[in-house]
Amino acid sequence: MFSKKLDNLKTYEAGKPIELVVREFGIEPKDIIKLASNENPYGCSKKVQEEVKKIIPQMSVYPDDSMYELKEGLAKKFEIESKNIIIGAGSDQVLEFAIHAIEPKKVLMSKTTFAMYEIYSKQVGAEIIKTPSHEHNLDEFRQYKDEVDIIFICVPNNPLGECLDWSDVKEFIDEVSKETLIIIDGAYQEYASFKDTNKKIPIKELLNYPNVLYTGTFSKAYGLGGMRIGYGIANEYIIQNLYKLRPPFNITTLSLKAGIEALKDEEFVNNSIKQNFIEMQRYVEFCQKKNLKYIPSYTNFITIFVNNSTEIADNLLKIGIIIRDLAGYGISAIRITIGQPSQNTKVLLALDKLI
Ligand SMILES: *Cc1c(COP(=O)(O)O)cnc(C)c1O
C-alpha cells in the first residue's frame, strides 16, 4: 500500500522532550536541563510574549495568508523584497518544499549534517551522496557536484558546529551548474556572523544566482522553536515554484505575530548571542583541561569527542541533563547546546565526574 520510497527511510529522531525524562526517571520538570535541540536557553523576547498574548482571542481567525507584515519585516532586515521570500512552518518546511519541487535523482551533502536533508530527499526517491569527511570539505563536494540535482551546504553545520567562509562558498557556487539547486542552510547564521564576519552569508547577493536558495529560521537565535517559523530567500522564480507546494495558512496566527514582533527586538537576539559565546568558552576550557577534542563552534552548541558518547549521554539523562549523543552518525561525540550559566555549571560538574 505504501510507496517503496519509504522502505529505507528512518523517521527523524528529535531531541528527547522534558516530559520523557519526567516519566522515565521521576525528575521534576524544573530540575531538568534540556540542551539537546539547540533552543535559545534564554527563552524568547518578553515583548514577543506580550504581543502574542494580546492576540490570543484571534485564534478563531485564519492568519493573513499573504504573511505581508512578516515578509515586509524580513525584506527590510535583509534589504530585499517580499517576492523573494517564502515562509514555512520552520525552515524545515521550506527545505521540504524545495526538495519536493525539484524531485532530485541525486543529492549531495556532507557526511555528518542536518538529518532532514536525507529524509526529505528519500521521500522523493533520491539517491544520497555524502562526502567522505564528516565536516564540510568543498574539494570533496567538487568531485560530485556535476552528478547531482541538489547540493546542501549547512553554514554553520549542525550537528558539528564548523562553518565555511563565505568566500569559499561563493567560489564553489560559481563552479556549479546553474541546473543544480544549491541550498544554503543558515539556521545558525546569526551566531556565526557575530563570531566571525568571514562566515556571514550576504543574503541579498544570493538573489543574483538563478539556482541558490537560502533558508533561515526563528527557532534558534530568536528563541521561537515552539512557534515553527522559518523562511526561504531566493530569486523570484525559485520562490514562485516553491509556492506551488505550500499548503494554505502554513503557519498559525500566533506564530505569524511572534515572528513579526521578534524582528523588532534585535536587542534580545544580540544579548543571547553574546552570552552564548561567553558561556561556550567555559566548555572550551573544560575540553582543554581534560584534553578532549572538540570542534570550534560557530553556533549555540558544541560538539565534543569522547570515548563512550552513548554511556555519557545515558548517565547525564539519569540526572536530568538531556544532550545529544552523536553515535548514530558514526562518531563517538556528544553535542551540547550552550545553556544558561547555572545550567552550564551543572553540566560541566557532571561531565567532570563522568570523564
Ligand atoms: C534547527 C535547524 C533547522 C530547522 O529548524 P526549524 O525549526 O524547522 O526552522 C534547519 N537546519 C538546521 C541545520 C537546523 O539545525
Side-chain angles (χ1 to χ4, degrees):
M1 181 163 78
F2 293 104
S3 164
K4 284 273 168 287
K5 290 170 185 163
L6 301 185
D7 284 355
N8 65 347
L9 221 172
K10 279 189 280 182
T11 46
Y12 178 73
E13 218 182 301
K16 291 192 170 61
I18 288 176
E19 292 78 358
L20 177 136
V21 184
V22 174
R23 281 198 307 273
E24 278 193 15
F25 302 103
I27 300 170
E28 295 278 320
K30 68 166 177 41
D31 295 328
I32 293 171
I33 298 177
K34 183 175 184 258
L35 299 175
S37 299
N38 305 337
E39 292 141 329
N40 187 329
Y42 307 100
C44 72
S45 154
K46 295 283 173 296
K47 290 176 196 155
V48 170
Q49 295 180 37
E50 280 159 27
E51 292 303 318
V52 169
K53 260 186 222 154
K54 285 187 203 158
I55 64 151
I56 287 179
Q58 290 173 36
M59 250 189 244
S60 55
V61 183
Y62 279 121
D64 167 14
D65 196 44
S66 76
M67 305 186 193
Y68 177 83
E69 220 182 321
L70 179 57
K71 287 203 275 188
E72 281 296 309
L74 286 167
K76 201 168 133 224
K77 176 178 161 76
F78 296 119
E79 300 174 327
I80 56 175
E81 290 179 62
S82 289
K83 65 180 186 198
N84 299 117
I85 303 170
I86 184 166
I87 304 296
S91 56
D92 251 295
Q93 194 180 34
V94 179
L95 295 170
E96 182 187 11
F97 293 158
I99 296 163
H100 283 250
I102 302 273
E103 293 190 344
K105 293 250 177 332
K106 280 188 191 179
V107 302
L108 175 60
M109 65 190 74
S110 195
K111 183 166 176 183
T112 299
T113 191
F114 190 50
M116 293 312 297
Y117 306 153
E118 178 166 354
I119 294 176
Y120 293 130
S121 298
K122 283 186 174 169
Q123 287 173 357
V124 296
E127 182 190 327
I128 316 291
I129 301 179
K130 292 183 182 175
T131 60
S133 300
H134 287 286
E135 296 181 30
H136 283 62
N137 176 322
L138 288 174
D139 281 331
E140 292 175 3
F141 274 75
R142 283 185 175 92
Q143 288 176 29
Y144 302 99
K145 69 176 175 40
D146 298 329
E147 298 172 33
V148 299
D149 307 300
I150 301 183
I151 299 173
F152 296 93
I153 298 179
C154 193
V155 274
N157 186 23
N158 176 19
L160 299 182
E162 95 278 8
C163 191
L164 295 168
D165 281 358
W166 162 244
S167 58
D168 295 328
V169 175
K170 179 176 165 39
E171 192 181 8
F172 176 72
I173 294 174
D174 288 332
E175 294 166 21
V176 173
S177 156
K178 300 288 177 271
E179 296 296 312
T180 301
L181 181 71
I182 301 170
I183 299 181
I184 298 187
D185 185 339
Y188 304 91
Q189 258 297 309
E190 292 87 352
Y191 293 98
S193 52
F194 173 87
K195 183 172 173 179
D196 181 351
T197 48
N198 292 322
K199 311 295 181 189
K200 190 179 171 72
I201 303 290
I203 291 171
K204 187 180 172 181
E205 232 178 89
L206 299 181
L207 303 184
N208 299 329
Y209 294 92
N211 61 330
V212 176
L213 169 66
Y214 177 86
T215 58
T217 182
F218 285 88
S219 300
K220 309 284 160 60
Y222 286 89
L224 292 171
M227 298 306 272
R228 312 304 304 124
I229 325 160
Y231 50 90
I233 295 176
N235 71 66
E236 197 179 358
Y237 177 68
I238 293 180
I239 297 298
Q240 278 173 355
N241 275 287
L242 300 190
Y243 254 94
K244 295 178 184 178
L245 284 103
R246 190 188 70 97
F249 312 115
N250 58 325
I251 72 169
T252 71
T253 303
L254 300 188
S255 302
L256 203 49
K257 185 70 182 172
I260 292 163
E261 295 302 325
L263 289 175
K264 297 179 189 164
D265 192 0
E266 289 290 341
E267 195 189 335
F268 168 81
V269 178
N270 292 336
N271 286 337
S272 302
I273 295 171
K274 278 185 200 143
Q275 195 63 29
N276 172 67
F277 286 113
I278 292 170
E279 286 297 306
M280 185 183 286
Q281 190 55 27
R282 298 173 63 191
Y283 286 88
V284 168
E285 282 162 17
F286 174 82
C287 293
Q288 288 165 346
K289 186 185 90 185
K290 290 271 184 183
N291 233 334
L292 296 170
K293 198 174 157 247
Y294 65 95
I295 299 177
S297 170
Y298 292 87
T299 64
N300 64 346
F301 59 83
I302 187 162
T303 294
I304 303 173
F305 293 89
V306 288
N307 279 333
N308 37 11
S309 62
T310 307
E311 199 183 309
I312 288 171
D314 287 349
N315 280 322
L316 288 175
L317 195 62
K318 283 180 200 149
I319 56 169
I321 297 172
I322 319 173
I323 57 148
R324 267 299 175 114
D325 171 21
L326 300 185
Y329 291 92
I331 45 179
S332 188
I334 50 175
R335 188 196 71 185
I336 307 170
T337 306
I338 309 301
Q340 292 183 18
S342 62
Q343 295 177 316
N344 299 327
T345 300
K346 287 180 190 160
V347 173
L348 287 166
L349 213 66
L351 281 176
D352 195 37
K353 286 188 193 140
L354 288 170
I355 301 174

